[in-house]
Amino acid sequence: MAGTTTGFDPAAIRADFPNLHREVHGKPLVYLDSAATSFKPQVVIDTLADSYSQHTANVHRGVHALAEEATDRYEAARTAVADFVGADPRGVVFTKNATEAFNLIAQSYAKQQLGAGDILLYTEMEHHANLVPWQLVQPEAGFELAAVPVRADGTLDLDTFAEIVRTGRVKLLAVTAMSNVVGTINPVAEMGAAVKAANPEAVVVVDGAQSVPHLPTDMTELGADFLCFSGHKMCGPTGIGVLAGRLDVLDAMPPFLGGGEMILDVHLFGATYNEVPYRFEAGTPMIAEAAGLGAAVRYLTDAGMDAVRSHEIEIVEHAIPALHDIPGVTVHGPTDPKARGAAISFVVDGLHPHDIGTVLDREGIAVRAGHHCAKPLIRALGKAATTRASFYLYNTVEEIDPLCDAIRATQAFFEV
Ligand code: C6P
């Protein structure tokens, strides 16, 4: 297998991921669905197994050796995750996934801090996880919802954004750093700065579910007050996500869930709450999963996030022209590989995305088909669904040919 001009060695990386080496329907697997969930390197699988075989104990409670080991592993993971995104470890809250992180902010921040006259601004490009939690609290809180439209090229309409921001009423901006459908990388830092210039009280919530796994990330550079992401899309386990928040903002927020661990003291008819991040981690947390996520960020750091990004740019540089070359194929989103990530949505004239997905699967190629939990965006593109091929650090330029061959074979099979 060829290396790439970036010096990144996909062959060495691939050897670390056992899932890549299985067959599907008798064919070697070509896994192009990492935007849905990524494969896990052996070191993450080993860390999970080690947690359960050697360090099983609850955290922050026990006085015995195993409890101390489990607590140390859990807190070391918090520090590793914080370092990975340039956050203060005390502002890193472990959640179930990115979705829960958005719900936490909606319930404990938006519902409390936004009211009549305020605008909560999101975009038409958002995943449902960055739409529905705000919609849930809006009727009670009484703020206004507004959305930045998406243009036909898959970028945000920044003129309309500027118009809304000029009102000075935007109190919360919720925006994805990278679209899970069209791959667009949004100018989050610039957008956040504009919102704060017009209203210094505003906060910026960044959806990093797709960007944190693929781009070097620094919360301060992003201008994010809150950053939400999921472990399972970045080589880590399922069942763990992250809300990284500005300490002073988190400090002023009431708890999201009640129970053990999140309290200082409890009386029969009242309680006082723990400091952050523990205030937001009610009950026994995902102990093994946190350790697994710690191993995942160490793995990605060793691989080098700049190298991961360059590798994916190189794949996109080849993939987009190759898909464009197939008659009847339309690729959505930016064509400039530097302006986008490696989640590539396309439609094929005369073929339903689910049929494409099914035929590709028979060839051992795993893609996703559907609305990708971003229905407003799919509607804005004038479609009901797309097929999405998404690439990660362990994919190779060589995997683009089988994808394109299988699309041509699907066209031949359905005679379109
Ligand atoms: N997108 C996809 O196939 P959870 O489900 O909580 O781990 O992540 C939610 C989420 C939030 N924001 C963005 C931009 C996302 O892409 C996702 C998850 C997956 O595109 C599953 S729907």
Side-chain angles (χ1 to χ4, degrees), residues 32 323 346 360 365 367 389 391 399-407:
L32 304 181
L323 287 164
F346 58 92
L360 262 54
I365 301 170
V367 294
F391 298 81
E399 288 175 306
I400 297 165
D401 277 349
L403 170 68
C404 294
D405 291 346
I407 294 169

Side-chain angles (χ1 to χ4, degrees), residues 33 35-37 96-100 102 125-130 176 178-181 207-210 228-233 368 372-373 388:
D33 198 19
T37 200
K96 186 170 70 175
N97 46 32
T99 301
E100 189 180 81
F102 288 109
M125 193 186 286
E126 302 308 317
H127 187 279
H128 299 164
N130 197 15
T176 188
M178 184 193 283
S179 164
N180 64 319
V181 181
D207 182 348
Q210 295 295 338
C228 308
F229 52 102
S230 279
H232 69 94
K233 293 186 200 289
R368 185 171 172 189
H372 314 294
C373 300
R388 183 187 70 188

Side-chain angles (χ1 to χ4, degrees), residues 250-331:
L250 282 173
D251 247 342
M253 285 163 51
F256 169 48
L257 300 170
E261 201 46 24
M262 49 73 69
I263 50 86
L264 280 181
D265 198 5
V266 181
H267 298 276
L268 256 191
F269 300 110
T272 50
Y273 309 128
N274 209 340
E275 59 190 13
V276 294
Y278 310 107
R279 186 189 306 161
F280 299 111
E281 295 182 353
T284 299
M286 323 71 171
I287 301 165
E289 290 75 9
L293 179 57
V297 300
R298 284 187 277 270
Y299 181 85
L300 287 171
T301 303
D302 288 348
M305 287 306 292
D306 285 320
V308 169
R309 174 65 183 141
S310 302
H311 175 64
E312 292 182 18
I313 287 176
E314 182 163 6
I315 289 180
V316 174
E317 270 166 2
H318 287 81
I320 291 191
L323 287 164
H324 270 306
D325 275 354
I326 307 173
V329 171
T330 306
V331 177

